[in-house]
Amino acid sequence: MALGTMSHHVLLLTAVLQMAPYATVNGEDKFLFENIGKVPGTPTCVTFLPDGRAIFCQKDGKITIAKTPAPGQVLSTEVYMNIPRSSMDTDYERGLVDIAFHPEFPSVKKVYAYVADLQRFHIVVFDHLEHKGGLTSRGDWASRKVLWTDTDRIEGKFHYG
């Protein structure tokens, strides 16, 4: 899946979850809808670690890590990383667009992000710091390296991509 298409999948997932109480196949309910908590802000993308923890991103660069709750428990969250506003342009459809973990994670503790600054979109990689695991893990924005920069300048306020 292309990094820039994740938001479409989040919207689809949101639509499916909103339909969940009404979804049936051959007259049988096929979705279980359970409110397990609220993630701070308005997530624009989500990805999962192999152990089931979820990472929720917001276009303003706030990234939250969440631990999947046991049945009957409430979702627990912590700040995973905040990308400095000086590193991004969050107007219109810009900002933190998506993240993905390295395909060999957790052996390779790298995270990729698709972000826009004031001029261009970039794909960057930064370190994942596991610490004690669970909700103590953090992203290290200071370790980032730019892997790719779009050659087109961002101009105007219209859809880009």
Side-chain angles (χ1 to χ4, degrees), residues 37-117:
K38 181 171 173 31
V39 174
T42 306
T44 54
C45 64
V46 62
T47 191
F48 295 89
L49 286 92
D51 63 5
R53 291 177 291 170
I55 302 290
F56 295 92
C57 302
Q58 297 177 58
K59 71 180 267 175
D60 65 0
K62 294 177 182 169
I63 305 174
T64 303
I65 187 167
K67 184 177 177 185
T68 307
Q73 300 295 312
V74 177
L75 185 71
S76 299
T77 64
E78 288 290 334
V79 172
Y80 178 75
M81 183 173 71
N82 286 320
I83 299 174
R85 294 274 296 167
S86 60
S87 297
M88 295 189 322
D89 175 10
T90 59
D91 286 343
Y92 308 103
E93 295 181 7
R94 303 175 195 148
L96 175 58
V97 178
D98 201 3
I99 65 166
F101 284 82
H102 191 282
E104 294 177 20
F105 187 90
S107 297
V108 179
K109 293 178 176 22
K110 297 290 184 185
V111 184
Y112 301 89
Y114 185 50
V115 298
D117 63 17

